[in-house]
Amino acid sequence: ADFVLVWETVLTELSGQQDSRENRGLQETSATTHRTWRKKFLDKLHAAGIHMEKHMTRVEKKMVHYLLLSVPWSVQCYYAEELQLRVPLQALPRQTSNWSASVLRRLGIPNPMAQEVPNLPLDYYTCPFKANKLCWFLGSNEQDTFFSTTQRHQIVYEILATTQYGHSREREVGVDRLLSENVFTAAFPLHEARPHRPPRDHPAASPAPPAGPAPTRCLSPQGPYKPRPEELAAGGLSQRQVLFRYWASWGKWSKYQPLDHVRTYFGEKVAFYFAWLGFYTGWLLPAAAVGTVVFVAGIFLTFTDVPSQEICTSEEQYWMCPLCKTCPYWPLSKICSTFMAGRLFDHGGTVFFSIFMSLWAVLFLEFWKRTNASLAHHWDCFDFEDIEERPRPQFTAMAPMMRINPVTGAEEPYFPKSSRLHRILAGSMVIIMMIAMAVMFVVSVILYRAVVAILLSSSGYFWFVASASRIASITGSVVNLIFILILSKIYISLAHFLTKWEMHRTQTKYEDAFTFKVFVFQFVTFYSSPVYIAFFKGKFIGYPGNYLSFLGVRNEECSPGGCFIELAQELLVIMVGKQIINNVQEVAIPKVKCWWHKHKLLSTKKADEEGQSVLVEQAPWVMDHQLLVFEGLFDEYLEMVLQFGFITIFVAACPLAPLFALLNNWVEIRLDAHKFICDYRRPVAERAQGIGIWFSILEAIAHLAVISNAFLIAFTSDFLPRMYYEYVHDSSLRGYVNFTLAYAPWDFVLQSNTTCRYRAFRDRDGNLTLTYWQLLAIRLGFIIVFEHVVFFIGRVIAWLVPDIPESVEVKVKRERYLAKEALAENKVGCGSS
């Protein structure tokens, strides 16, 4: 079977004894409608030539129906040509696709990351299938294996998604609508539950494994992904078992991912995600190493830092102005530990690391382009989005008119651009309202921090008074994280609805539109708080006697240790906290859901013709039905791209961010692999040319990171004021603390009868001094120089590294030549003499 449809019916003798007559009537009406739709749908499938095999199991008061669908050869050929599925023309010799393996081999160094994976998929030159040229394709005499399993899944899904069961105007089309209406409870392709068959004939193919009895692991309670010892000895592993053993296993954390196997089993879209995730994790190694060195250097600098020593030994030399109306005066020496902690992140190495990470991001993206091009060709999807991609089945079923495609010349469904534009504009208004709501939440968190800091400072308890700012900041970060997680759930469901309503022609455009909507919202919610702390907090506070306020609350000041340490703390809470929550969810939630689903189905009995009772676990389709529904890769990509933003946009504040990201991603790869193999139903394989709009988002983040780090070093860090003081006053930085502190204005001193200090470059009348304006000019000059230098080097790197490797360009030309030869109109046909 290629596909499974599942639905449930309530047994009449057990249904609703205690239900009211009215409720029973509604249920019967609904069941009748569902039965009618289901019958029409299945009749249409039968008319389309799909073979069906029905099985039933009993679960308490319900009967679960499993309909196994398979596609005969003639239907496969028709839809393969319609869908332009690519099939092999000529075998290719295997080539090492991993650059690190090539480098280590040339140097003669053993490669600790390499592993021998059985059943390696072979490589071919391919072209779109044509039924009348069948004999020119490799393996055309083997109908059972000519089209791959994933290609057959694509064919069945195309039929299921475009089959009409009611009125097209009412959008009564396709299996997705039936699933949403609960006419069917599930529709999924089966996981592979038999040994891997030898691939098509290939000159370099290894001999097939010895024949033996068909394995029955798929019938065991532990599932078909765990091979038995006898299966390992015989070498007869299924593709799913190979992936479980050599990819999803925690023991393989340091090995290359078997990406060709992933592509063969799950399709190109899933394979591109894991290829990108592995590539990104590999590139995090140098970033984490340099970041750790910069952090360690910060530890040594902390102990020799003159301003830190001055603060810690000042005792009651500097009395600071109160942080609120009812707050006490406080000695500067109180912030000794906080100030020293800030020096871990705020030193000269930070500037070097910011430049390093900006160039690292450019190099990473340039080399990913090359890797993407190589994989796209290797996986037969080099021109997929431009030429081969067909309209989405849902779009085909619901588009109001037809027109000629200007690229392919074929007639296809069409939705007017003006109507789509109106819908996009309407949807944009909704998105702007949601983003405004997110900003309101951020403002409320800012006010929360200010109020909590004031309340704690005036509480009278010494520990609360001493830690008021820190407690307010940490609790504010946690509250912000909770807001983010709740708002995200609401917004994602809204974005799904809006994107469907916009009627995008292809799956790629649909997903790009959805991705852009959600990422803009997530970007605002996740980054607004760090952006506020980095660039706004403490910049508009006024001075003693003339403090500025917002909504009646005095504007937040940076904690006495400075905003840099607060920003590092915020990043760690949001980035590490989110990663921990996500990983716990990814481990726990699938396990709990699977357990609950299996718990409901474990005691069920199978109803067959003889009336015999057999355990349901013996049927692979029932076992697959117990697994979780695959909901797409969006959440996986979003988590990684937000992480990429944290380690580039704010890296000046936290050099350890790449290290935390690396440790998380080592776990993430195996967690995700385990979910796909063990916890999820097999997804319908989808083709893709790369990682889609995520690459454009990564490029935008890389550019934003350069600007962000320039402003962070210039305005939030103490780096430039220290450099100014070293050059103008004292190279040993003695007296620097006194230099950064202003005296309270005379008016404030007369009112309170006490002199105090505050951080600013102002005179005794509250006016900005010449030093402030000189520093402002230096800061703006630094931003311009920093950006121009980094952007220039980035442009040079992009110019020196071609997007497509020369070897790939040659292969593409060769493949097009072979396709032209094989499909030439005047070439002798398969049935001609």
mmCIF file with all atom_site columns, all heavy atoms in Angstrom, residues 354-359 362 702 705-706 784-797:
data_model
loop_
_atom_site.group_PDB
_atom_site.id
_atom_site.type_symbol
_atom_site.label_atom_id
_atom_site.label_alt_id
_atom_site.label_comp_id
_atom_site.label_asym_id
_atom_site.label_entity_id
_atom_site.label_seq_id
_atom_site.pdbx_PDB_ins_code
_atom_site.Cartn_x
_atom_site.Cartn_y
_atom_site.Cartn_z
_atom_site.occupancy
_atom_site.B_iso_or_equiv
_atom_site.pdbx_formal_charge
_atom_site.auth_seq_id
_atom_site.auth_comp_id
_atom_site.auth_asym_id
_atom_site.auth_atom_id
_atom_site.pdbx_PDB_model_num
ATOM 1   N N   . SER A 1 354 ? 32.821 41.035 17.589 1.00 0.00 ? 354 SER A N   1
ATOM 2   C CA  . SER A 1 354 ? 31.697 41.542 16.784 1.00 0.00 ? 354 SER A CA  1
ATOM 3   C C   . SER A 1 354 ? 32.054 41.551 15.304 1.00 0.00 ? 354 SER A C   1
ATOM 4   O O   . SER A 1 354 ? 31.260 41.149 14.450 1.00 0.00 ? 354 SER A O   1
ATOM 5   C CB  . SER A 1 354 ? 31.320 42.957 17.230 1.00 0.00 ? 354 SER A CB  1
ATOM 6   O OG  . SER A 1 354 ? 30.883 42.946 18.552 1.00 0.00 ? 354 SER A OG  1
ATOM 7   N N   . ILE A 1 355 ? 33.265 42.035 14.992 1.00 0.00 ? 355 ILE A N   1
ATOM 8   C CA  . ILE A 1 355 ? 33.721 42.040 13.587 1.00 0.00 ? 355 ILE A CA  1
ATOM 9   C C   . ILE A 1 355 ? 33.833 40.607 13.077 1.00 0.00 ? 355 ILE A C   1
ATOM 10  O O   . ILE A 1 355 ? 33.383 40.276 11.975 1.00 0.00 ? 355 ILE A O   1
ATOM 11  C CB  . ILE A 1 355 ? 35.070 42.776 13.455 1.00 0.00 ? 355 ILE A CB  1
ATOM 12  C CG1 . ILE A 1 355 ? 34.903 44.248 13.839 1.00 0.00 ? 355 ILE A CG1 1
ATOM 13  C CG2 . ILE A 1 355 ? 35.632 42.659 12.042 1.00 0.00 ? 355 ILE A CG2 1
ATOM 14  C CD1 . ILE A 1 355 ? 36.201 45.016 13.953 1.00 0.00 ? 355 ILE A CD1 1
ATOM 15  N N   . PHE A 1 356 ? 34.420 39.736 13.919 1.00 0.00 ? 356 PHE A N   1
ATOM 16  C CA  . PHE A 1 356 ? 34.586 38.330 13.537 1.00 0.00 ? 356 PHE A CA  1
ATOM 17  C C   . PHE A 1 356 ? 33.244 37.684 13.215 1.00 0.00 ? 356 PHE A C   1
ATOM 18  O O   . PHE A 1 356 ? 33.087 37.017 12.185 1.00 0.00 ? 356 PHE A O   1
ATOM 19  C CB  . PHE A 1 356 ? 35.282 37.573 14.671 1.00 0.00 ? 356 PHE A CB  1
ATOM 20  C CG  . PHE A 1 356 ? 35.335 36.080 14.464 1.00 0.00 ? 356 PHE A CG  1
ATOM 21  C CD1 . PHE A 1 356 ? 36.330 35.497 13.689 1.00 0.00 ? 356 PHE A CD1 1
ATOM 22  C CD2 . PHE A 1 356 ? 34.363 35.241 15.021 1.00 0.00 ? 356 PHE A CD2 1
ATOM 23  C CE1 . PHE A 1 356 ? 36.366 34.124 13.483 1.00 0.00 ? 356 PHE A CE1 1
ATOM 24  C CE2 . PHE A 1 356 ? 34.390 33.875 14.829 1.00 0.00 ? 356 PHE A CE2 1
ATOM 25  C CZ  . PHE A 1 356 ? 35.402 33.322 14.052 1.00 0.00 ? 356 PHE A CZ  1
ATOM 26  N N   . MET A 1 357 ? 32.225 37.891 14.074 1.00 0.00 ? 357 MET A N   1
ATOM 27  C CA  . MET A 1 357 ? 30.924 37.250 13.871 1.00 0.00 ? 357 MET A CA  1
ATOM 28  C C   . MET A 1 357 ? 30.185 37.828 12.661 1.00 0.00 ? 357 MET A C   1
ATOM 29  O O   . MET A 1 357 ? 29.455 37.116 11.975 1.00 0.00 ? 357 MET A O   1
ATOM 30  C CB  . MET A 1 357 ? 30.058 37.391 15.127 1.00 0.00 ? 357 MET A CB  1
ATOM 31  C CG  . MET A 1 357 ? 30.454 36.459 16.254 1.00 0.00 ? 357 MET A CG  1
ATOM 32  S SD  . MET A 1 357 ? 30.465 34.712 15.800 1.00 0.00 ? 357 MET A SD  1
ATOM 33  C CE  . MET A 1 357 ? 28.725 34.397 15.521 1.00 0.00 ? 357 MET A CE  1
ATOM 34  N N   . SER A 1 358 ? 30.382 39.129 12.398 1.00 0.00 ? 358 SER A N   1
ATOM 35  C CA  . SER A 1 358 ? 29.748 39.722 11.216 1.00 0.00 ? 358 SER A CA  1
ATOM 36  C C   . SER A 1 358 ? 30.304 39.087 9.941  1.00 0.00 ? 358 SER A C   1
ATOM 37  O O   . SER A 1 358 ? 29.557 38.750 9.015  1.00 0.00 ? 358 SER A O   1
ATOM 38  C CB  . SER A 1 358 ? 29.979 41.237 11.202 1.00 0.00 ? 358 SER A CB  1
ATOM 39  O OG  . SER A 1 358 ? 29.398 41.835 12.337 1.00 0.00 ? 358 SER A OG  1
ATOM 40  N N   . LEU A 1 359 ? 31.629 38.918 9.889  1.00 0.00 ? 359 LEU A N   1
ATOM 41  C CA  . LEU A 1 359 ? 32.256 38.293 8.715  1.00 0.00 ? 359 LEU A CA  1
ATOM 42  C C   . LEU A 1 359 ? 31.946 36.791 8.688  1.00 0.00 ? 359 LEU A C   1
ATOM 43  O O   . LEU A 1 359 ? 31.788 36.208 7.611  1.00 0.00 ? 359 LEU A O   1
ATOM 44  C CB  . LEU A 1 359 ? 33.762 38.535 8.740  1.00 0.00 ? 359 LEU A CB  1
ATOM 45  C CG  . LEU A 1 359 ? 34.177 40.004 8.655  1.00 0.00 ? 359 LEU A CG  1
ATOM 46  C CD1 . LEU A 1 359 ? 35.692 40.143 8.751  1.00 0.00 ? 359 LEU A CD1 1
ATOM 47  C CD2 . LEU A 1 359 ? 33.681 40.640 7.359  1.00 0.00 ? 359 LEU A CD2 1
ATOM 48  N N   . VAL A 1 362 ? 28.607 36.325 7.009  1.00 0.00 ? 362 VAL A N   1
ATOM 49  C CA  . VAL A 1 362 ? 28.696 36.485 5.545  1.00 0.00 ? 362 VAL A CA  1
ATOM 50  C C   . VAL A 1 362 ? 29.301 35.230 4.912  1.00 0.00 ? 362 VAL A C   1
ATOM 51  O O   . VAL A 1 362 ? 28.783 34.700 3.924  1.00 0.00 ? 362 VAL A O   1
ATOM 52  C CB  . VAL A 1 362 ? 29.535 37.735 5.187  1.00 0.00 ? 362 VAL A CB  1
ATOM 53  C CG1 . VAL A 1 362 ? 29.780 37.802 3.695  1.00 0.00 ? 362 VAL A CG1 1
ATOM 54  C CG2 . VAL A 1 362 ? 28.836 38.999 5.664  1.00 0.00 ? 362 VAL A CG2 1
ATOM 55  N N   . ALA A 1 702 ? 21.938 38.946 8.948  1.00 0.00 ? 702 ALA A N   1
ATOM 56  C CA  . ALA A 1 702 ? 23.395 39.172 8.888  1.00 0.00 ? 702 ALA A CA  1
ATOM 57  C C   . ALA A 1 702 ? 23.705 40.648 8.663  1.00 0.00 ? 702 ALA A C   1
ATOM 58  O O   . ALA A 1 702 ? 24.649 41.187 9.263  1.00 0.00 ? 702 ALA A O   1
ATOM 59  C CB  . ALA A 1 702 ? 24.000 38.312 7.780  1.00 0.00 ? 702 ALA A CB  1
ATOM 60  N N   . ALA A 1 705 ? 22.839 42.573 11.806 1.00 0.00 ? 705 ALA A N   1
ATOM 61  C CA  . ALA A 1 705 ? 23.808 42.305 12.876 1.00 0.00 ? 705 ALA A CA  1
ATOM 62  C C   . ALA A 1 705 ? 24.971 43.295 12.842 1.00 0.00 ? 705 ALA A C   1
ATOM 63  O O   . ALA A 1 705 ? 25.460 43.725 13.892 1.00 0.00 ? 705 ALA A O   1
ATOM 64  C CB  . ALA A 1 705 ? 24.328 40.871 12.759 1.00 0.00 ? 705 ALA A CB  1
ATOM 65  N N   . VAL A 1 706 ? 25.431 43.645 11.635 1.00 0.00 ? 706 VAL A N   1
ATOM 66  C CA  . VAL A 1 706 ? 26.549 44.595 11.521 1.00 0.00 ? 706 VAL A CA  1
ATOM 67  C C   . VAL A 1 706 ? 26.143 45.946 12.118 1.00 0.00 ? 706 VAL A C   1
ATOM 68  O O   . VAL A 1 706 ? 26.878 46.535 12.925 1.00 0.00 ? 706 VAL A O   1
ATOM 69  C CB  . VAL A 1 706 ? 26.970 44.764 10.042 1.00 0.00 ? 706 VAL A CB  1
ATOM 70  C CG1 . VAL A 1 706 ? 28.083 45.793 9.916  1.00 0.00 ? 706 VAL A CG1 1
ATOM 71  C CG2 . VAL A 1 706 ? 27.407 43.428 9.457  1.00 0.00 ? 706 VAL A CG2 1
ATOM 72  N N   . ILE A 1 784 ? 30.154 54.559 11.577 1.00 0.00 ? 784 ILE A N   1
ATOM 73  C CA  . ILE A 1 784 ? 30.352 54.674 10.125 1.00 0.00 ? 784 ILE A CA  1
ATOM 74  C C   . ILE A 1 784 ? 31.543 53.830 9.680  1.00 0.00 ? 784 ILE A C   1
ATOM 75  O O   . ILE A 1 784 ? 31.465 53.068 8.707  1.00 0.00 ? 784 ILE A O   1
ATOM 76  C CB  . ILE A 1 784 ? 30.539 56.157 9.733  1.00 0.00 ? 784 ILE A CB  1
ATOM 77  C CG1 . ILE A 1 784 ? 29.221 56.921 9.963  1.00 0.00 ? 784 ILE A CG1 1
ATOM 78  C CG2 . ILE A 1 784 ? 30.978 56.291 8.280  1.00 0.00 ? 784 ILE A CG2 1
ATOM 79  C CD1 . ILE A 1 784 ? 29.354 58.425 9.906  1.00 0.00 ? 784 ILE A CD1 1
ATOM 80  N N   . VAL A 1 785 ? 32.673 53.948 10.412 1.00 0.00 ? 785 VAL A N   1
ATOM 81  C CA  . VAL A 1 785 ? 33.882 53.192 10.036 1.00 0.00 ? 785 VAL A CA  1
ATOM 82  C C   . VAL A 1 785 ? 33.635 51.692 10.181 1.00 0.00 ? 785 VAL A C   1
ATOM 83  O O   . VAL A 1 785 ? 33.960 50.898 9.276  1.00 0.00 ? 785 VAL A O   1
ATOM 84  C CB  . VAL A 1 785 ? 35.082 53.634 10.910 1.00 0.00 ? 785 VAL A CB  1
ATOM 85  C CG1 . VAL A 1 785 ? 36.285 52.721 10.681 1.00 0.00 ? 785 VAL A CG1 1
ATOM 86  C CG2 . VAL A 1 785 ? 35.456 55.076 10.600 1.00 0.00 ? 785 VAL A CG2 1
ATOM 87  N N   . PHE A 1 786 ? 33.045 51.267 11.307 1.00 0.00 ? 786 PHE A N   1
ATOM 88  C CA  . PHE A 1 786 ? 32.786 49.845 11.570 1.00 0.00 ? 786 PHE A CA  1
ATOM 89  C C   . PHE A 1 786 ? 31.927 49.244 10.454 1.00 0.00 ? 786 PHE A C   1
ATOM 90  O O   . PHE A 1 786 ? 32.262 48.201 9.879  1.00 0.00 ? 786 PHE A O   1
ATOM 91  C CB  . PHE A 1 786 ? 32.085 49.714 12.927 1.00 0.00 ? 786 PHE A CB  1
ATOM 92  C CG  . PHE A 1 786 ? 31.825 48.292 13.354 1.00 0.00 ? 786 PHE A CG  1
ATOM 93  C CD1 . PHE A 1 786 ? 32.713 47.629 14.175 1.00 0.00 ? 786 PHE A CD1 1
ATOM 94  C CD2 . PHE A 1 786 ? 30.670 47.608 12.960 1.00 0.00 ? 786 PHE A CD2 1
ATOM 95  C CE1 . PHE A 1 786 ? 32.471 46.325 14.598 1.00 0.00 ? 786 PHE A CE1 1
ATOM 96  C CE2 . PHE A 1 786 ? 30.420 46.310 13.363 1.00 0.00 ? 786 PHE A CE2 1
ATOM 97  C CZ  . PHE A 1 786 ? 31.329 45.663 14.190 1.00 0.00 ? 786 PHE A CZ  1
ATOM 98  N N   . GLU A 1 787 ? 30.810 49.905 10.138 1.00 0.00 ? 787 GLU A N   1
ATOM 99  C CA  . GLU A 1 787 ? 29.895 49.377 9.116  1.00 0.00 ? 787 GLU A CA  1
ATOM 100 C C   . GLU A 1 787 ? 30.560 49.307 7.750  1.00 0.00 ? 787 GLU A C   1
ATOM 101 O O   . GLU A 1 787 ? 30.447 48.296 7.047  1.00 0.00 ? 787 GLU A O   1
ATOM 102 C CB  . GLU A 1 787 ? 28.642 50.259 9.034  1.00 0.00 ? 787 GLU A CB  1
ATOM 103 C CG  . GLU A 1 787 ? 27.710 50.098 10.222 1.00 0.00 ? 787 GLU A CG  1
ATOM 104 C CD  . GLU A 1 787 ? 26.491 50.988 10.108 1.00 0.00 ? 787 GLU A CD  1
ATOM 105 O OE1 . GLU A 1 787 ? 26.386 51.722 9.102  1.00 0.00 ? 787 GLU A OE1 1
ATOM 106 O OE2 . GLU A 1 787 ? 25.657 50.948 11.016 1.00 0.00 ? 787 GLU A OE2 1
ATOM 107 N N   . HIS A 1 788 ? 31.259 50.367 7.367  1.00 0.00 ? 788 HIS A N   1
ATOM 108 C CA  . HIS A 1 788 ? 31.865 50.388 6.034  1.00 0.00 ? 788 HIS A CA  1
ATOM 109 C C   . HIS A 1 788 ? 32.956 49.333 5.892  1.00 0.00 ? 788 HIS A C   1
ATOM 110 O O   . HIS A 1 788 ? 33.044 48.658 4.856  1.00 0.00 ? 788 HIS A O   1
ATOM 111 C CB  . HIS A 1 788 ? 32.436 51.782 5.727  1.00 0.00 ? 788 HIS A CB  1
ATOM 112 C CG  . HIS A 1 788 ? 31.399 52.761 5.263  1.00 0.00 ? 788 HIS A CG  1
ATOM 113 N ND1 . HIS A 1 788 ? 30.413 53.242 6.094  1.00 0.00 ? 788 HIS A ND1 1
ATOM 114 C CD2 . HIS A 1 788 ? 31.176 53.330 4.047  1.00 0.00 ? 788 HIS A CD2 1
ATOM 115 C CE1 . HIS A 1 788 ? 29.637 54.070 5.416  1.00 0.00 ? 788 HIS A CE1 1
ATOM 116 N NE2 . HIS A 1 788 ? 30.066 54.141 4.176  1.00 0.00 ? 788 HIS A NE2 1
ATOM 117 N N   . VAL A 1 789 ? 33.762 49.173 6.928  1.00 0.00 ? 789 VAL A N   1
ATOM 118 C CA  . VAL A 1 789 ? 34.842 48.173 6.860  1.00 0.00 ? 789 VAL A CA  1
ATOM 119 C C   . VAL A 1 789 ? 34.252 46.766 6.755  1.00 0.00 ? 789 VAL A C   1
ATOM 120 O O   . VAL A 1 789 ? 34.642 45.974 5.887  1.00 0.00 ? 789 VAL A O   1
ATOM 121 C CB  . VAL A 1 789 ? 35.765 48.286 8.099  1.00 0.00 ? 789 VAL A CB  1
ATOM 122 C CG1 . VAL A 1 789 ? 36.687 47.079 8.197  1.00 0.00 ? 789 VAL A CG1 1
ATOM 123 C CG2 . VAL A 1 789 ? 36.588 49.560 8.028  1.00 0.00 ? 789 VAL A CG2 1
ATOM 124 N N   . VAL A 1 790 ? 33.281 46.459 7.640  1.00 0.00 ? 790 VAL A N   1
ATOM 125 C CA  . VAL A 1 790 ? 32.715 45.096 7.656  1.00 0.00 ? 790 VAL A CA  1
ATOM 126 C C   . VAL A 1 790 ? 31.934 44.819 6.362  1.00 0.00 ? 790 VAL A C   1
ATOM 127 O O   . VAL A 1 790 ? 32.080 43.745 5.765  1.00 0.00 ? 790 VAL A O   1
ATOM 128 C CB  . VAL A 1 790 ? 31.817 44.893 8.892  1.00 0.00 ? 790 VAL A CB  1
ATOM 129 C CG1 . VAL A 1 790 ? 31.129 43.541 8.833  1.00 0.00 ? 790 VAL A CG1 1
ATOM 130 C CG2 . VAL A 1 790 ? 32.636 45.009 10.162 1.00 0.00 ? 790 VAL A CG2 1
ATOM 131 N N   . PHE A 1 791 ? 31.114 45.781 5.917  1.00 0.00 ? 791 PHE A N   1
ATOM 132 C CA  . PHE A 1 791 ? 30.350 45.569 4.678  1.00 0.00 ? 791 PHE A CA  1
ATOM 133 C C   . PHE A 1 791 ? 31.273 45.432 3.472  1.00 0.00 ? 791 PHE A C   1
ATOM 134 O O   . PHE A 1 791 ? 31.023 44.618 2.571  1.00 0.00 ? 791 PHE A O   1
ATOM 135 C CB  . PHE A 1 791 ? 29.363 46.718 4.450  1.00 0.00 ? 791 PHE A CB  1
ATOM 136 C CG  . PHE A 1 791 ? 28.086 46.583 5.233  1.00 0.00 ? 791 PHE A CG  1
ATOM 137 C CD1 . PHE A 1 791 ? 27.569 47.657 5.946  1.00 0.00 ? 791 PHE A CD1 1
ATOM 138 C CD2 . PHE A 1 791 ? 27.389 45.388 5.275  1.00 0.00 ? 791 PHE A CD2 1
ATOM 139 C CE1 . PHE A 1 791 ? 26.398 47.536 6.677  1.00 0.00 ? 791 PHE A CE1 1
ATOM 140 C CE2 . PHE A 1 791 ? 26.211 45.256 5.999  1.00 0.00 ? 791 PHE A CE2 1
ATOM 141 C CZ  . PHE A 1 791 ? 25.719 46.332 6.700  1.00 0.00 ? 791 PHE A CZ  1
ATOM 142 N N   . PHE A 1 792 ? 32.375 46.195 3.449  1.00 0.00 ? 792 PHE A N   1
ATOM 143 C CA  . PHE A 1 792 ? 33.312 46.105 2.322  1.00 0.00 ? 792 PHE A CA  1
ATOM 144 C C   . PHE A 1 792 ? 33.971 44.726 2.277  1.00 0.00 ? 792 PHE A C   1
ATOM 145 O O   . PHE A 1 792 ? 34.040 44.089 1.221  1.00 0.00 ? 792 PHE A O   1
ATOM 146 C CB  . PHE A 1 792 ? 34.376 47.205 2.430  1.00 0.00 ? 792 PHE A CB  1
ATOM 147 C CG  . PHE A 1 792 ? 35.467 47.083 1.394  1.00 0.00 ? 792 PHE A CG  1
ATOM 148 C CD1 . PHE A 1 792 ? 35.228 47.437 0.074  1.00 0.00 ? 792 PHE A CD1 1
ATOM 149 C CD2 . PHE A 1 792 ? 36.728 46.584 1.733  1.00 0.00 ? 792 PHE A CD2 1
ATOM 150 C CE1 . PHE A 1 792 ? 36.233 47.317 -0.888 1.00 0.00 ? 792 PHE A CE1 1
ATOM 151 C CE2 . PHE A 1 792 ? 37.723 46.454 0.785  1.00 0.00 ? 792 PHE A CE2 1
ATOM 152 C CZ  . PHE A 1 792 ? 37.472 46.820 -0.531 1.00 0.00 ? 792 PHE A CZ  1
ATOM 153 N N   . ILE A 1 793 ? 34.456 44.268 3.451  1.00 0.00 ? 793 ILE A N   1
ATOM 154 C CA  . ILE A 1 793 ? 35.089 42.932 3.494  1.00 0.00 ? 793 ILE A CA  1
ATOM 155 C C   . ILE A 1 793 ? 34.065 41.858 3.108  1.00 0.00 ? 793 ILE A C   1
ATOM 156 O O   . ILE A 1 793 ? 34.383 40.908 2.387  1.00 0.00 ? 793 ILE A O   1
ATOM 157 C CB  . ILE A 1 793 ? 35.687 42.656 4.889  1.00 0.00 ? 793 ILE A CB  1
ATOM 158 C CG1 . ILE A 1 793 ? 36.800 43.661 5.198  1.00 0.00 ? 793 ILE A CG1 1
ATOM 159 C CG2 . ILE A 1 793 ? 36.239 41.234 4.963  1.00 0.00 ? 793 ILE A CG2 1
ATOM 160 C CD1 . ILE A 1 793 ? 37.324 43.588 6.620  1.00 0.00 ? 793 ILE A CD1 1
ATOM 161 N N   . GLY A 1 794 ? 32.811 42.028 3.586  1.00 0.00 ? 794 GLY A N   1
ATOM 162 C CA  . GLY A 1 794 ? 31.755 41.075 3.227  1.00 0.00 ? 794 GLY A CA  1
ATOM 163 C C   . GLY A 1 794 ? 31.504 41.027 1.733  1.00 0.00 ? 794 GLY A C   1
ATOM 164 O O   . GLY A 1 794 ? 31.323 39.947 1.152  1.00 0.00 ? 794 GLY A O   1
ATOM 165 N N   . ARG A 1 795 ? 31.488 42.198 1.075  1.00 0.00 ? 795 ARG A N   1
ATOM 166 C CA  . ARG A 1 795 ? 31.301 42.257 -0.386 1.00 0.00 ? 795 ARG A CA  1
ATOM 167 C C   . ARG A 1 795 ? 32.443 41.553 -1.104 1.00 0.00 ? 795 ARG A C   1
ATOM 168 O O   . ARG A 1 795 ? 32.237 40.845 -2.092 1.00 0.00 ? 795 ARG A O   1
ATOM 169 C CB  . ARG A 1 795 ? 31.217 43.713 -0.852 1.00 0.00 ? 795 ARG A CB  1
ATOM 170 C CG  . ARG A 1 795 ? 29.992 44.452 -0.386 1.00 0.00 ? 795 ARG A CG  1
ATOM 171 C CD  . ARG A 1 795 ? 28.749 43.991 -1.112 1.00 0.00 ? 795 ARG A CD  1
ATOM 172 N NE  . ARG A 1 795 ? 27.580 44.722 -0.685 1.00 0.00 ? 795 ARG A NE  1
ATOM 173 C CZ  . ARG A 1 795 ? 26.350 44.330 -0.909 1.00 0.00 ? 795 ARG A CZ  1
ATOM 174 N NH1 . ARG A 1 795 ? 26.113 43.211 -1.549 1.00 0.00 ? 795 ARG A NH1 1
ATOM 175 N NH2 . ARG A 1 795 ? 25.326 45.049 -0.490 1.00 0.00 ? 795 ARG A NH2 1
ATOM 176 N N   . VAL A 1 796 ? 33.661 41.769 -0.622 1.00 0.00 ? 796 VAL A N   1
ATOM 177 C CA  . VAL A 1 796 ? 34.833 41.123 -1.247 1.00 0.00 ? 796 VAL A CA  1
ATOM 178 C C   . VAL A 1 796 ? 34.712 39.605 -1.124 1.00 0.00 ? 796 VAL A C   1
ATOM 179 O O   . VAL A 1 796 ? 34.964 38.864 -2.089 1.00 0.00 ? 796 VAL A O   1
ATOM 180 C CB  . VAL A 1 796 ? 36.142 41.627 -0.599 1.00 0.00 ? 796 VAL A CB  1
ATOM 181 C CG1 . VAL A 1 796 ? 37.335 40.803 -1.075 1.00 0.00 ? 796 VAL A CG1 1
ATOM 182 C CG2 . VAL A 1 796 ? 36.361 43.104 -0.922 1.00 0.00 ? 796 VAL A CG2 1
ATOM 183 N N   . ILE A 1 797 ? 34.315 39.132 0.073  1.00 0.00 ? 797 ILE A N   1
ATOM 184 C CA  . ILE A 1 797 ? 34.131 37.682 0.282  1.00 0.00 ? 797 ILE A CA  1
ATOM 185 C C   . ILE A 1 797 ? 33.078 37.141 -0.681 1.00 0.00 ? 797 ILE A C   1
ATOM 186 O O   . ILE A 1 797 ? 33.282 36.098 -1.332 1.00 0.00 ? 797 ILE A O   1
ATOM 187 C CB  . ILE A 1 797 ? 33.729 37.400 1.743  1.00 0.00 ? 797 ILE A CB  1
ATOM 188 C CG1 . ILE A 1 797 ? 34.902 37.681 2.684  1.00 0.00 ? 797 ILE A CG1 1
ATOM 189 C CG2 . ILE A 1 797 ? 33.262 35.958 1.909  1.00 0.00 ? 797 ILE A CG2 1
ATOM 190 C CD1 . ILE A 1 797 ? 34.524 37.671 4.161  1.00 0.00 ? 797 ILE A CD1 1
#
